[in-house]
Amino acid sequence: MPHKKELCDEVLRKIGLNVLLFQQIEALLKLLVTHHRIDGTVTNTAERKQQRAEQVHKLTMGALVGQYTDNILSDAGDSIKEPEIVDEIWMSSTFSITGDSDLYGSLSADLKLMVQERNDLVHHFLPQWQPDSVEQMEKASSYLDQQREKVLPMFEHLKSVTTSMQDAQNMMASFLASDEGDRLCELIWLQSSPLVSLLLDVVDQNARPDGWCYLAHAGRLARIHQPDAVAKMKERYGHSTLKKLLIVTEFFDLLDEPTSNGGFATLYRVKNVVEQ
């Protein structure tokens, strides 16, 4: 019977289309879960990304949805843990979607429905395959059409999110490759370095009532507590004196104050301190 054969072929075609749709969704989820978070140094970022990709590749659809819901839909998930000691610039970025509780609830429900539909097709469709019954095959065809309509919006959502993530990351990569991006990376590294952190602590604990602190005193403490950093200041930080280092961090104001013997004493303070 040609009609029955054509109907069976159509059902098989729709099964293939829906299976392909679920595979496309799974691929998008894996891409998003792998790449929404980037962290590491210049030398190990690629390796860390590859490790995440290998871990994500093994996840089930349900686990992928769980990570997408927890880490991308909800305020970027857990904060990125940075190493306590680094000798290179460490950078991290996270892509996430924020919205009100209605948006979060709606997307979470749609994702759960998508997983259920995928499992129904892959694991429970066989009883509906009755090629000798035109009626049952028509029902199966209708079921597959309805399933596709339910799932397509999630596919479009994930495609849109993926495009937004890739656009944002491309913009960031372009900025970091620019002269201004390079300057900013260097500035952030200097500002968070152990030596500059020590200088901040010194001015916080030893400043005069007007907020100024003697640089010579800070230098003595730095040689005690960060001797290696002081000895290798030019090599490590690109500047041969604490005064030059303080200027380029953009954290501090400096002042050469006249002394009683006709010389000058250099003082520094954290910017935006109001003089008493």
Side-chain angles (χ1 to χ4, degrees):
M1 296 182 60
H3 176 67
K4 184 183 295 186
K5 183 180 184 305
E6 291 172 1
L7 184 57
C8 289
D9 289 345
E10 181 67 6
V11 170
L12 289 173
R13 186 185 71 83
K14 291 180 179 180
I15 291 173
L17 286 174
N18 286 12
V19 169
L20 179 61
L21 178 60
F22 286 121
Q23 289 181 349
Q24 290 174 314
I25 289 173
E26 184 174 0
L28 289 171
L29 284 169
K30 286 182 177 179
L31 188 150
L32 287 164
V33 170
T34 299
H35 297 289
H36 85 283
R37 173 174 292 182
I38 300 174
D39 59 83
T41 65
V42 174
T43 56
N44 71 10
T45 296
E47 179 183 354
R48 290 172 64 84
K49 184 185 294 186
Q50 180 61 32
Q51 290 174 348
R52 281 195 297 273
E54 292 172 358
Q55 294 169 353
V56 170
H57 181 71
K58 302 174 184 178
L59 297 179
T60 64
M61 179 75 86
L64 287 169
V65 166
Q67 291 211 14
Y68 180 81
T69 303
D70 293 341
N71 298 327
I72 298 178
L73 291 187
S74 57
D75 295 335
D78 296 332
S79 59
I80 297 175
K81 295 181 180 179
E82 299 182 1
E84 294 183 0
I85 300 176
V86 295
D87 54 9
E88 295 181 75
I89 295 176
W90 172 278
M91 297 190 67
S92 62
S93 67
T94 303
F95 175 87
S96 63
I97 302 171
T98 58
D100 57 26
S101 58
D102 289 340
L103 174 65
Y104 179 83
S106 175
L107 288 174
S108 298
D110 288 345
L111 285 162
K112 184 178 179 180
L113 174 63
M114 183 274 298
V115 174
Q116 291 173 344
E117 292 293 335
R118 181 262 184 192
N119 290 340
D120 283 343
L121 177 62
V122 174
H123 301 295
H124 307 296
F125 180 78
L126 186 58
Q128 299 189 57
W129 177 252
Q130 299 181 30
D132 292 331
S133 171
V134 172
E135 180 182 359
Q136 290 301 319
M137 296 310 290
E138 288 176 343
K139 288 182 179 179
S141 179
S142 177
Y143 160 81
L144 292 166
D145 287 339
Q146 293 174 21
Q147 182 179 71
R148 188 170 183 82
E149 290 301 313
K150 291 178 185 177
V151 176
L152 269 175
M154 180 51 60
F155 175 62
E156 296 299 331
H157 162 75
L158 293 173
K159 278 204 309 181
S160 175
V161 173
T162 299
T163 299
S164 296
M165 181 188 74
Q166 291 173 333
D167 288 347
Q169 291 179 347
N170 287 338
M171 289 177 60
M172 178 183 293
S174 296
F175 172 73
L176 293 177
S178 68
D179 291 341
E180 178 60 20
D182 186 62
R183 186 196 72 82
L184 181 62
C185 288
E186 181 68 18
L187 178 61
I188 292 172
W189 184 77
L190 284 173
Q191 290 177 343
S192 60
S193 66
L195 184 54
V196 172
S197 295
L198 173 65
L199 295 172
L200 283 167
D201 289 339
V202 171
V203 73
D204 180 58
Q205 299 173 17
N206 298 274
R208 303 185 316 198
D210 60 3
W212 292 99
C213 178
Y214 288 100
L215 183 57
H217 178 63
R220 287 191 292 271
L221 292 176
R223 283 186 285 274
I224 294 172
H225 298 288
Q226 292 285 338
D228 188 58
V230 174
K232 299 178 180 179
M233 194 183 312
K234 177 65 175 178
E235 174 186 346
R236 187 171 298 179
Y237 298 104
H239 304 280
S240 56
T241 67
L242 283 177
K243 186 174 183 178
K244 291 180 180 179
L245 180 62
L246 287 171
I247 293 172
V248 297
T249 63
E250 301 181 11
F251 266 164
F252 306 100
D253 293 319
L254 282 93
L255 171 69
D256 287 330
E257 186 177 72
T259 61
S260 58
N261 61 6
F264 292 89
T266 299
L267 296 94
Y268 75 104
R269 68 178 180 182
V270 179
K271 283 183 179 292
N272 299 324
V273 173
V274 179
E275 291 189 42
Q276 301 293 322

